[in-house]
Amino acid sequence: VLFQIFDAFKSRLHDSNSKVNQVALETMHKMIPLLKDNLSPVINMLIPAIVDNNLNSKNPGIYAAATNVIQALCQHLDNCLLLQPFCTKAQFLNGKAKQDMTEKLA
């Protein structure tokens, strides 16, 4: 069930409508403290959806929301769950997103 929910939700994190995209990120930020490590089965699907495009967004609301989601992940999930997906993203991103992910890894 978790896969089905987040598979559908994932596309909202990439939505071309910036308002939908931002609300999805803000909603994700609220869900993380509630779900915590229960997100582990879907974390490899979620991190690219959260990071790709959103951390390099020129829209300050989307960028701030994505940064808040990454921060919430770091606060509420076991760091071992985040290490591999964060490394992969830091390796293949560019610009501000690469810098942000590298700082989170450090």
Side-chain angles (χ1 to χ4, degrees), residues 65-78:
T67 303
N68 288 340
V69 170
I70 296 298
Q71 185 62 36
L73 287 170
C74 292
Q75 287 177 334
H76 297 285
L77 271 71
D78 183 345

Side-chain angles (χ1 to χ4, degrees), residues 29-62:
H29 182 251
K30 293 174 186 171
M31 288 190 293
I32 292 167
L34 301 172
L35 296 172
K36 297 182 181 175
D37 287 339
N38 292 321
L39 286 171
S40 64
V42 294
I43 204 70
N44 288 326
M45 166 183 26
L46 282 178
I47 289 178
I50 294 162
V51 172
D52 295 352
N53 303 323
N54 296 325
L55 277 185
N56 273 332
S57 177
K58 297 197 184 327
N59 180 320
I62 290 175

